[in-house]
Amino acid sequence: MAESLPSDFDVIILGTGLPESIIAAACSRTGKSVLHLDSKSYYGGNWASFTFSGILSWLEEQKQEDDNIIPSTSWEDQILETEHTISLNVKNKTVQNIEVVCYASPGSEDSVEEAGALQKHPVVSDSHTNEDDQNALKECQNDSNSEKQDTPLEEEQTSDSKTPVDSISLPNNEVPLDCENSENLVEATTEAPFSQLVRKITYADIIREGRKFNIDLVSTILYSRGSLIDLLIKSSVSRYVEFKNVTRILTFHEEKVEQVPCSRADVFNSKQLTMVEKRMLMKFLTFCAEYEQHPEEYQDFMDHTFSDFLKAKKLSPNLQHFILHSIAMVSTTASTGVGLKATQHFLLSLGRYGNNPFLFPLYGMGEMPQCFCRMCAVFGGIYCLRHSVQCLVVDKESKRCKAVIDSNGKRINCSYFIVEDSYLADENCKSVTYRQLSRAVLITDRSILKADSDQQISVLRMASEDPTQPTVSILELCSSSMTCMTGTYLVHLTCSSVKTAKEDLEPVVQKLFTPYTDIEPEDTEDDTEKPKILWLMFYNMRDSSEIDRECYEDLPSNVYVCSGPDASLGNDNAVKQAESIFHHIYPTEEFCPPAPNPEDIVYDADAAESGDASSAPPVESKSEAGIQEDITGESGDVAEEHQPE
């Protein structure tokens, strides 16, 4: 397909991360021709999600010094005298300091061979490998060549029961979901008793059930009233994804993990707070919900930290800890204005889709860029993976990018070029100083806080007593989130880097978890016992979210740069960046207007009568049934027909 690409596009986009995918969908939706490329073999870039065998393949990719793409050199004669070229980066390495350790026992030789992965030495890092590890990886890859990285959501079984559940598809309206009446829900996966599964998971089991894992390179949660959720609803991209409610917000207080009361019912049912503290908390949260109307309460503290403001309100140390770290979710150095706004955002998100303000997409955050890629493909966008751009062709007089030379040496004309920043060559980034994210991904055998139900999605922020150390965000996912196998939990740890990922995150890992060993009895379970680590991966990832375009040198005026993931909640920066770039390119166009449902598209009557409806332009029409379908969030088969391969 890459050899037969058209020679002219309105927009060419390199990189399939979240902001690039949103821009692609927005441009395609407004009728622009879009070519969307990625040098990798998967969608999402650093926003991607992998099965377990997929993450092993990704680890092997990171060890390779060069990309698989071999650029063509037969394009020089296509450059005119009035043009010059700007080379792009073909290596685009943004992940460093990878270290992987498997604590799970290999299992019996027969079971390991049956799983297709003989792992005698289960320790892997970016600087160390051995022959057994590589053989295990190759066998695992061969066993899973036919697997799709992106499991269709349509395969998920739905339930006709009216029993309220906590998995939702976003409707195209502003009204909170009525779980008892909504038909667009997914029933939680039925699990075996948790006590039967603890301490019995082997590495062979993980390999065998590898398709049930969806491991995000960067995982976060979404505010139910966040900009990404609002965009999904507005654009009708919500039809391609389903969500589960985050069920618990936790905190690490006085050397133990506790659940934080969020809603009014949680506050008054809490045993952690005294009656006086409950009243103080409700009064303070009521004030935060509409704090702009009472400036006299906070204006004297605008130059102080939010922590100082909480102390001035004479809240107990207990309440100060809960509000700062688990409700506002800001650092101890955050200003009063930032803390009040964050607390208000938390409160406004409560009740929209449940008693918790956060949502998590089934199958992982890697679904987000793929959803917008589907929308782009529906409206004519062309996708090529394992295909890149060697250089930009720039007009010397106008200093605009006229065309690109792709990895096959073909010249493709374009009006605008959008690129993920890791593809820029070093000479364009001399003035850029990148920050880093520290990440850890764990597979564990139980939750960090035992509950009546083992199907919990939990959020925990751990602030260090040392102010020089970063606050660590922890997201713990259960198997009904479709990100891990039955009887395990997938845990993501993220913070801004101070040192390497292992140095930043290992103290937190040691506080909350312990390595798995086989010497413990399998028939006992201590509620106070720490979860066992079955598998663990540390790595650092580039964070370019706060770099302005002006920092990149010698870029043409019609070339726009997108950043990778950051450490904040909600992915609001990616949406803001995508909308800003789109309005710079097409200031008069609407950003991501709603897409029509398939049955709402009608054709010109004369063309239909003549039997040549295919040549007539489609006209959007909204019937009463179509409007109702938007409200319920139901959709037709567009996603399956046009889903990017």
Side-chain angles (χ1 to χ4, degrees):
M1 177 180 177
E3 291 76 11
S4 59
L5 285 174
S7 298
D8 293 276
F9 288 90
D10 293 320
V11 182
I12 296 178
I13 302 175
L14 180 58
T16 53
L18 183 57
E20 303 95 270
S21 299
I22 294 174
I23 296 170
C27 293
S28 180
R29 176 67 184 94
T30 53
K32 307 300 185 291
S33 57
V34 177
L35 174 62
H36 204 169
L37 308 174
D38 201 314
S39 64
K40 301 177 179 64
S41 60
Y42 52 84
Y43 289 93
N46 283 347
W47 310 76
S49 181
F50 299 99
T51 62
F52 191 77
S53 60
I55 202 70
L56 296 181
S57 299
W58 177 83
L59 287 168
E60 189 67 19
E61 263 183 41
Q62 301 309 305
K63 298 191 185 94
Q64 299 173 2
E65 294 188 1
D66 297 313
D67 286 346
N68 294 327
I69 295 175
I70 302 176
S72 170
T73 57
S74 59
W75 50 268
E76 289 87 350
D77 57 345
Q78 302 180 56
I79 307 302
L80 306 178
E81 292 183 0
T82 58
E83 300 170 342
H84 70 93
T85 61
I86 297 177
S87 298
L88 294 185
N89 192 352
V90 296
K91 294 183 179 179
N92 98 355
K93 296 291 186 181
T94 57
V95 178
Q96 300 173 334
N97 305 320
I98 302 174
E99 183 167 342
V100 180
V101 182
C102 181
Y103 293 104
S105 60
S108 66
E109 186 174 346
D110 291 341
S111 64
V112 174
E113 289 178 350
E114 180 184 348
L118 183 58
Q119 180 80 355
K120 294 181 179 178
H121 303 284
V123 178
V124 184
S125 71
D126 57 347
S127 60
H128 168 73
T129 185
N130 56 55
E131 186 176 352
D132 290 322
D133 291 331
Q134 294 184 7
N135 291 338
L137 177 61
K138 290 177 181 178
E139 292 180 27
C140 176
Q141 290 172 329
N142 293 336
D143 186 57
S144 60
N145 275 342
S146 61
E147 296 176 11
K148 286 185 64 178
Q149 172 191 329
D150 166 39
T151 306
L153 298 185
E154 288 76 13
E155 293 180 4
E156 186 64 25
Q157 295 182 353
T158 57
S159 172
D160 296 330
S161 170
K162 300 299 181 181
T163 304
V165 293
D166 64 349
S167 181
I168 66 175
S169 264
L170 293 174
N172 295 332
N173 68 343
E174 292 293 332
V175 182
L177 280 178
D178 179 356
C179 289
E180 293 190 1
N181 297 323
S182 174
E183 297 179 357
N184 198 28
L185 301 176
V186 177
E187 188 173 2
T189 305
T190 302
E191 304 288 352
F194 190 66
S195 60
Q196 296 180 10
L197 301 165
V198 173
R199 306 189 192 92
K200 296 183 180 179
I201 306 297
T202 65
Y203 186 74
D205 296 327
I206 294 174
I207 292 293
R208 184 184 300 110
E209 300 294 324
R211 295 186 63 183
K212 295 184 179 179
F213 288 90
N214 284 284
I215 302 172
D216 293 316
L217 291 183
V218 171
S219 194
T220 185
I221 50 177
L222 305 176
Y223 281 101
S224 63
R225 290 195 184 275
S227 57
L228 182 54
I229 296 296
D230 291 341
L231 180 62
L232 288 168
I233 294 171
K234 173 193 173 185
S235 62
S236 300
V237 176
S238 57
R239 69 182 63 175
Y240 303 137
V241 64
E242 292 168 298
F243 288 83
K244 282 186 70 69
N245 289 109
V246 172
T247 54
R248 299 186 302 183
I249 297 177
L250 307 177
T251 186
F252 190 78
H253 189 45
E254 297 179 348
E255 296 302 313
K256 62 180 180 179
V257 178
E258 299 176 348
Q259 185 167 348
V260 177
C262 299
S263 65
R264 181 182 296 270
D266 289 341
V267 169
F268 285 102
N269 289 330
S270 175
K271 297 180 180 179
Q272 303 161 256
L273 304 177
T274 66
M275 186 58 66
V276 173
E277 286 179 321
K278 292 177 182 180
R279 291 173 180 170
M280 293 174 67
L281 179 59
M282 289 307 304
K283 182 179 179 180
F284 181 78
L285 295 181
T286 301
F287 156 72
C288 289
E290 48 187 27
Y291 74 93
E292 298 98 336
Q293 301 178 20
H294 307 282
E296 70 282 356
E297 294 279 342
Y298 62 88
Q299 59 186 1
D300 293 339
F301 290 88
M302 293 304 289
D303 295 330
H304 294 73
T305 65
F306 188 48
S307 179
D308 291 337
F309 178 70
L310 296 178
K311 293 175 183 176
K313 285 294 183 180
K314 298 181 180 180
L315 298 173
S316 68
N318 218 19
L319 293 181
Q320 292 179 40
H321 179 88
F322 286 165
I323 294 170
L324 187 66
H325 299 299
S326 302
I327 295 179
M329 294 189 176
V330 295
S331 68
T332 54
T333 59
S335 67
T336 297
V338 170
L340 287 173
K341 187 174 182 179
T343 304
Q344 184 187 60
H345 192 191
F346 181 99
L347 296 172
L348 293 178
S349 298
L350 281 171
R352 191 182 194 188
Y353 300 115
N355 292 329
N356 197 291
F358 299 115
L359 300 172
F360 183 81
L362 293 181
Y363 302 98
M365 286 300 301
E367 284 294 298
M368 292 293 98
Q370 293 198 64
C371 289
F372 287 98
C373 289
R374 292 185 185 108
M375 176 61 75
C376 178
V378 165
F379 289 95
I382 296 177
Y383 281 85
C384 290
L385 300 181
R386 297 177 295 278
H387 199 78
S388 190
V389 171
Q390 297 186 57
C391 64
L392 310 182
V393 180
V394 182
D395 183 79
K396 291 181 180 179
E397 183 177 351
S398 66
K399 297 183 179 180
R400 289 177 62 87
C401 176
K402 296 174 57 178
V404 302
I405 303 296
D406 71 0
S407 50
N408 292 337
K410 179 176 181 178
R411 177 173 174 143
I412 306 175
N413 300 321
C414 64
S415 299
Y416 299 97
F417 181 71
I418 298 163
V419 59
E420 196 264 321
D421 66 348
S422 65
Y423 287 96
L424 295 177
D426 294 340
E427 52 265 29
N428 300 119
C429 306
K430 294 177 182 177
S431 303
V432 177
T433 301
Y434 294 107
R435 298 184 304 172
Q436 296 286 323
L437 297 179
S438 290
R439 292 271 295 131
V441 181
L442 291 73
I443 300 174
T444 66
D445 67 344
R446 71 183 73 180
S447 174
I448 53 179
L449 181 63
K450 185 173 174 59
D452 293 338
S453 170
D454 52 308
Q455 293 304 301
Q456 302 284 346
I457 298 179
S458 306
V459 178
L460 168 64
R461 279 176 65 87
M462 286 188 63
S464 173
E465 296 178 358
D466 183 354
T468 63
Q469 295 301 310
T471 298
V472 178
S473 297
I474 301 171
L475 175 62
E476 182 184 70
L477 303 169
C478 60
S479 57
S480 63
S481 68
M482 306 302 172
T483 59
C484 56
M485 62 181 281
T486 301
T488 64
Y489 283 82
L490 187 66
V491 185
H492 294 272
L493 291 82
T494 308
C495 71
S496 297
S497 298
V498 176
K499 301 177 182 177
T500 67
K502 183 176 182 180
E503 291 173 309
D504 287 339
L505 297 174
E506 192 170 41
V508 175
V509 172
Q510 291 175 349
K511 277 187 177 181
L512 297 177
F513 308 95
T514 186
Y516 176 91
T517 61
D518 285 330
I519 61 174
E520 297 163 322
E522 296 187 356
D523 56 350
T524 63
E525 182 179 351
D526 183 359
D527 291 347
T528 63
E529 194 175 4
K530 295 179 181 179
K532 304 294 188 301
I533 304 171
L534 301 169
W535 185 84
L536 167 65
M537 176 171 66
F538 291 109
Y539 57 96
N540 288 101
M541 180 180 288
R542 178 192 293 178
D543 177 5
S544 57
S545 58
E546 293 188 359
I547 297 176
D548 294 327
R549 185 189 185 280
E550 290 72 22
C551 296
Y552 299 105
E553 300 177 7
D554 302 326
L555 289 183
S557 58
N558 60 336
V559 171
Y560 296 87
V561 183
C562 293
S563 65
D566 59 14
S568 63
L569 296 177
N571 290 325
D572 288 348
N573 183 67
V575 177
K576 180 180 178 181
Q577 186 178 155
E579 186 171 7
S580 174
I581 291 175
F582 178 82
H583 284 312
H584 272 94
I585 297 175
Y586 301 114
T588 61
E589 298 282 1
E590 182 182 359
F591 179 63
C592 286
N597 289 310
E599 58 269 30
D600 295 329
I601 300 176
V602 297
Y603 293 89
D604 182 82
D606 295 337
E609 290 176 1
S610 66
D612 190 25
S614 60
S615 63
V619 180
E620 297 179 20
S621 172
K622 283 288 180 183
S623 63
E624 182 177 350
I627 295 173
Q628 179 62 33
E629 186 169 12
D630 279 348
I631 293 175
T632 60
E634 297 172 356
S635 63
D637 297 330
V638 173
E640 284 301 299
E641 294 173 2
H642 301 273
Q643 180 179 338
E645 294 296 334

